[in-house]
């Protein structure tokens, strides 16, 4: 079939199947989500490969992997579906109808922060119309910014060390961070604050990429060369609980482990920092009517959080 042939319904269906397979990392998870057999999923992928003469993925005894061509088709497909959603949303906005799916990017593990009113905002937003949908994706700070810039997220909520040109950053709520170590860590048994101040800069530090690394720098707690980073708090928690690292965690997130005696705050009166969770939007585009509705609810719900 010539490349210039317009996409048919079967092409779009097969692309959705392929995207699901990629996101699930193979056929197994995709079978559950799609409620399709492996032969049926293979048929869709084979259709796409025959359609464009490309090998999209490797599957067999050696396991599943996406080829370079497959990665390119996946990225193009995601952009295509996002454009289709935006088309429907923008047409609906002309009729003043609140309809369509809003794509929201979110930093991980904010749900236990008492200052966050994101869940309330989601409920209010979806209560506005039964024609509204919400796609919520957890991502790192840098991916959230990239997602808003490339249009894969209509809005995003997270913590950002630097502010990029082209994005608008609006504060929502704050988060308190403390420096922690595991009960088994060599610093946990040191009672002298003077000794701790001398020893903390020499310890291995694990930090959340961008955010906590910046916080640690502000607190003048440098990382050693063998220190580790991750964009996700759960990974940081695992590293701290191993007893081999020190690092910052939000107090609301660390609280259960602290109460169990598994994590201990170090120099709590000094090594304490505040991070501000922000809403980011594309400054070069007017929000759609559904994005505007979500933004209005979000800002109203957090109106008094920083005062």
């Amino acid at each position: 079939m010539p490349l210039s042939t317009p996409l048919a319904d079967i092409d779009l269906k097969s692309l959705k199947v392929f995207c699901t397979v990629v996101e699930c990392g193979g056929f197994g998870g995709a079978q559950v989500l799609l409620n399709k057999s492996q032969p049926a999923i293979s048929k869709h992928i084979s259709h796409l490969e025959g359609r464009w003469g490309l090998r999209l993925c490797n599957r067999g005894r050696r396991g599943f992997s996406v080829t370079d061509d497959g990665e390119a088709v996946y990225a193009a497909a995601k952009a295509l579906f996002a454009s289709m959603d935006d088309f429907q949303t923008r047409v609906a906005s002309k009729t003043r109808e609140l309809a369509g799916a809003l794509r929201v990017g979110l930093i991980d593990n904010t749900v236990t922060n008492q200052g966050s009113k994101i869940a309330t905002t989601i409920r209010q937003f979806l209560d506005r119309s039964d024609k509204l949908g919400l796609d919520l994706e957890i991502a790192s700070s840098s991916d959230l910014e990239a997602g808003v810039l490339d249009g894969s997220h209509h809005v995003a909520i997270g913590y950002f060390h630097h502010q990029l040109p082209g994005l608008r950053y609006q504060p929502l709520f704050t988060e308190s961070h403390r420096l922690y170590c595991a009960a088994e860590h060599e610093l946990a048994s040191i009672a002298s604050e003077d000794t701790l101040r001398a020893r903390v800069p020499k310890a291995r530090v694990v930090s959340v990429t961008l955010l906590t690394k910046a916080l640690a720098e502000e607190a003048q707690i440098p990382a050693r060369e063998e220190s580790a980073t991750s964009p996700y708090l759960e990974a940081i928690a695992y590293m701290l609980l191993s007893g081999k690292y020190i690092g910052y965690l939000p107090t609301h997130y660390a609280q259960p482990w602290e109460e169990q005696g598994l994590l201990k705050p170090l120099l709590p009166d000094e090594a304490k920092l505040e991070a501000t969770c922000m809403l980011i939007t594309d400054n070069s585009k007017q929000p759609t009517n559904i994005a505007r509705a979500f933004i209005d609810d979000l800002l109203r719900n957090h109106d008094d959080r920083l005062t």
Side-chain angles (χ1 to χ4, degrees):
M1 187 180 295
L3 291 176
S4 58
T5 303
L7 291 176
D9 286 345
I10 183 60
D11 299 322
L12 296 176
K13 290 178 181 177
S14 295
L15 282 170
K16 288 182 178 179
V17 169
F18 174 62
C19 287
T20 302
V21 171
V22 173
E23 289 160 4
C24 289
F27 283 31
Q31 285 180 249
V32 176
L33 284 181
L34 296 170
N35 193 26
K36 293 181 181 292
S37 66
Q38 183 167 326
I41 293 175
S42 287
K43 186 175 181 180
H44 279 286
I45 293 180
S46 294
H47 166 78
L48 295 176
E49 290 178 332
R51 171 80 157 86
W52 294 303
L54 300 173
R55 179 133 182 109
L56 302 182
C57 57
N58 300 309
R59 55 256 195 211
R61 293 181 179 179
R62 294 186 178 181
F64 174 86
S65 63
V66 183
T67 65
D68 290 343
D69 288 335
E71 293 283 3
V73 170
Y74 171 75
K78 295 296 287 185
L80 170 64
F81 292 133
S83 295
M84 293 170 66
D85 287 342
D86 288 343
F87 172 79
Q88 292 176 315
T89 299
R90 292 186 181 280
V91 169
S93 70
K94 295 301 180 183
T95 65
R96 304 299 180 185
E97 180 184 29
L98 284 177
L102 183 70
R103 300 187 299 277
V104 179
L106 180 63
I107 202 72
D108 71 326
N109 290 301
T110 58
V111 70
T112 53
N113 188 326
Q114 295 299 310
S116 168
K117 303 300 178 184
I118 296 171
T120 300
T121 300
I122 291 172
R123 182 181 68 250
Q124 293 173 345
F125 172 73
L126 294 176
D127 281 346
R128 286 174 174 265
S129 170
D130 59 6
K131 295 182 179 179
L132 287 172
L134 184 72
D135 293 329
L136 192 62
E137 181 181 347
I138 303 298
S140 66
S141 297
S142 57
D143 286 343
L144 292 177
E145 290 173 315
V148 172
L149 287 172
D150 68 20
S152 55
H153 303 316
H154 291 117
V155 301
I157 302 167
Y159 301 97
F160 309 97
H161 181 38
H162 300 293
Q163 297 192 5
L164 301 180
L167 292 178
R168 185 183 185 192
Y169 296 77
Q170 295 174 271
L172 295 175
F173 55 89
T174 60
E175 187 169 75
S176 297
H177 291 241
R178 295 291 186 275
L179 184 66
Y180 291 93
C181 72
E184 296 84 2
H185 194 280
E186 61 184 3
L187 297 184
S189 60
I190 297 177
S192 166
E193 291 190 353
D194 288 338
T195 303
L196 275 177
R197 290 190 194 98
R199 294 283 297 279
V200 160
K202 300 175 183 179
R204 292 179 178 178
V205 177
V206 59
S207 61
V208 174
T209 309
L210 296 180
L211 173 66
T212 312
K213 187 175 182 181
L215 291 175
E217 289 170 356
E218 289 178 23
Q220 297 182 337
I221 300 174
R224 289 172 55 185
E225 290 183 4
E226 57 267 54
S227 295
T229 61
S230 171
Y232 301 110
L233 288 182
E234 187 164 1
I236 302 299
Y238 272 121
M239 301 288 269
L240 292 181
L241 290 167
S242 75
K244 295 297 184 181
Y245 294 88
I246 66 172
Y248 279 96
L249 282 178
T251 54
H252 67 85
Y253 183 68
Q255 183 179 355
W257 294 297
E258 187 176 352
E259 290 176 348
Q260 295 174 58
L262 299 176
L263 287 180
K264 179 182 177 180
L266 298 170
L267 301 171
D269 294 330
E270 302 173 30
K272 54 184 181 179
L273 299 158
E274 298 290 321
T276 300
C277 186
M278 296 187 179
L279 164 72
I280 57 171
T281 52
D282 190 331
N283 224 5
S284 67
K285 300 176 184 176
Q286 286 295 325
T288 63
N289 63 337
I290 65 170
R292 184 73 265 167
F294 181 85
I295 291 168
D296 289 346
D297 288 343
L298 188 69
L299 294 178
R300 183 177 63 254
N301 287 328
H302 292 94
D303 185 53
D304 62 344
R305 305 316 302 174
L306 298 176
T307 58

